[in-house]
Amino acid sequence: MLAKALREALKSLSPGARIFIAYSGGIDSQVLLHVASQWALQEGVQLTALHLNHGLSPNADEWQNLCQQ
């Protein structure tokens, strides 16, 4: 379902296009990054993950370490 929604939202992008994903390291952004990276590989789109530590979770610093790895 998420993969289908992502494909629909980004269907106008051409191969070689570049997208950026805000990646906090939380489970929701991990899933989004995973699905988006699979789609980007299939479509020839360049994907860059940008870490965002918004500090809203007590786990934010731990997630930042995960993102850096």
Side-chain angles (χ1 to χ4, degrees):
M1 185 177 216
L2 177 60
K4 182 178 179 181
L6 183 69
R7 281 193 308 270
E8 183 63 28
L10 302 176
K11 68 183 177 184
S12 65
L13 293 177
S14 302
R18 171 170 256 166
I19 61 171
F20 297 87
I21 299 286
Y23 179 56
S24 71
I27 190 66
D28 54 343
S29 67
Q30 287 184 46
V31 170
L32 176 61
L33 183 58
H34 176 74
V35 171
S37 66
Q38 290 180 330
W39 171 84
L41 283 173
Q42 291 173 352
E43 298 298 321
V45 171
Q46 296 178 46
L47 173 71
T48 300
L50 302 171
H51 174 66
L52 172 64
N53 184 343
H54 40 65
L56 297 176
S57 169
N59 301 313
D61 291 338
E62 185 178 328
W63 293 344
Q64 181 173 338
N65 291 333
L66 173 69
C67 295
Q68 289 172 325
Q69 292 175 14

